[in-house]
Amino acid sequence: MECFFYKPSMIRLLLIFFCCFVFAYTNISAQGFVTIKTPEGVEISENGKKVLFFQQKPKSLNGEYNRAGYIHPLYSLNENTLTQDFPDDHPYHRGIFWAWHQLVLNNKKIADGWISENISWRPLTLTIKKKKKYVTLHSQMLWECVLENNKPVAVIKEAANITVYKSTHRYRVLDFDIMLLPLVDSLKIGGSEDAKGYGGFCLRLKLPKDVSFISDNKEVIPQETAVTAGEWMNFSGSFESETSTKTGIVVFCSPSNPGIQQRWILRKEASMQNVPYPGNTPVVIPSEGLRLKYRIIIHNGEVGNDEIEKLYQKYFQGS
């Protein structure tokens, strides 16, 4: 009987082949989207880099400023944190969120969702749809308020779809599709009661000193109240560090949204950025629901205004 022995050269070849196989498998497995569920919510990463964390479970600061159903942290393409939660100046601000000062029932204000007064959020479901080119989080939760009977009553059912698309080397796209379905009759929603009227879709960003606001190829100067600009706004600056190149966060407003899409509340320091709707006068939430849609594009600073406009036109046509 002939015995077969591996020669040293053959062993080396087998080891090289095995190492290449392991490297290739590891590299392939690291590609694409990964979602990790935790007791607090869901983390999304792409190609081994964190994209965002969705906070599903209610969260508070020493029992105050209760909130749920928002994004923090939101990360740059380089995996640096772009948002803030419980900032010292306005502890009720939270990452990427949607909230209103006025929740009105039978012409009586019953809650303030902005500062979490007489309102709580009860998670119902959180599902994940993962494809090769995108991943979608579908969250459902109830908005509950304490009414005359001193018991929490569900007044709104919120359904939010947050979709993260496969990134390029220059930018990443996120879509927000928010539906508020009233569970009681004649429920109204509104922004702050002052001239600012802020409330709706908001971004609490870690603002750099050199932040600028660009819309329709023009710089927009923030004012105390809402300013009129275009359908998109590019927040540009050294968000990642003072020594880094500029990063951009662009917000698109869907043409299907109700109200005026060219109004923005902008702040250069210590506050949030807001697409105000409906303003300081509350509006009745339709029985079929109030639907609001937005797109955020995070880019590395190399995406110019002309390209942003083209991306918006594609979004506009798709909407």
Side-chain angles (χ1 to χ4, degrees), residues 288-301:
E288 66 273 17
L290 170 64
R291 190 176 185 185
L292 299 169
K293 297 168 67 177
Y294 304 92
R295 173 168 286 185
I296 288 179
I297 298 178
I298 301 165
H299 64 88
N300 63 359

Side-chain angles (χ1 to χ4, degrees), residues 208-257:
K209 294 179 181 179
D210 63 347
V211 66
S212 61
F213 309 92
I214 308 295
S215 184
D216 286 347
N217 291 315
K218 295 179 292 186
E219 184 170 1
V220 181
I221 306 301
Q223 300 177 16
E224 187 68 17
T225 55
V227 299
T228 300
E231 290 85 355
W232 56 263
M233 186 69 64
N234 183 20
F235 307 93
S236 177
S238 305
F239 283 94
E240 303 188 62
S241 73
E242 292 184 0
T243 58
S244 68
T245 57
K246 289 189 176 183
T247 300
I249 300 114
V250 184
V251 177
F252 290 172
C253 297
S254 171
S256 66
N257 289 348

Side-chain angles (χ1 to χ4, degrees), residues 137-156:
L137 300 182
H138 178 66
S139 163
Q140 293 190 49
M141 63 177 59
L142 296 178
W143 298 18
E144 297 181 329
C145 302
V146 175
L147 302 180
E148 287 82 0
N149 58 7
N150 291 323
K151 293 182 180 180
V153 175
V155 295
I156 286 179

Side-chain angles (χ1 to χ4, degrees), residues 14 17 34 96 101 105-106 115 140 169 203-204 212 257:
L14 288 171
F17 175 79
V34 174
I96 309 299
H101 269 290
L105 181 62
N106 298 325
I115 61 174
Q140 293 190 49
H169 68 285
L203 302 86
R204 175 64 201 224
S212 61
N257 289 348

Side-chain angles (χ1 to χ4, degrees), residues 10 34 37 61 67 88 112 125 135 147 156 159 163 198 206 214-215 222 230 233 264 278 291 304 319:
M10 186 176 294
V34 174
K37 273 193 173 184
L61 179 65
R67 73 279 306 276
D88 292 339
D112 187 327
T125 61
V135 60
L147 302 180
I156 286 179
T163 301
Y198 50 84
K206 294 173 62 176
I214 308 295
S215 184
M233 186 69 64
W264 303 82
R291 190 176 185 185
S319 298

Side-chain angles (χ1 to χ4, degrees), residues 150-212:
N150 291 323
K151 293 182 180 180
V153 175
V155 295
I156 286 179
K157 182 179 182 180
E158 175 192 302
N161 287 318
I162 301 171
T163 301
V164 181
Y165 295 95
K166 183 179 178 181
S167 63
T168 72
H169 68 285
R170 295 189 302 135
Y171 63 83
R172 173 183 295 129
V173 176
L174 296 82
D175 274 348
F176 295 79
D177 189 343
I178 304 155
M179 173 68 81
L180 305 180
L181 184 68
L183 302 178
V184 293
D185 293 333
S186 303
L187 186 66
K188 295 181 179 180
I189 202 166
S192 61
E193 298 169 70
D194 56 17
K196 302 172 189 176
Y198 50 84
F201 191 74
C202 303
L203 302 86
R204 175 64 201 224
L205 302 172
K206 294 173 62 176
L207 288 178
K209 294 179 181 179
D210 63 347
V211 66
S212 61

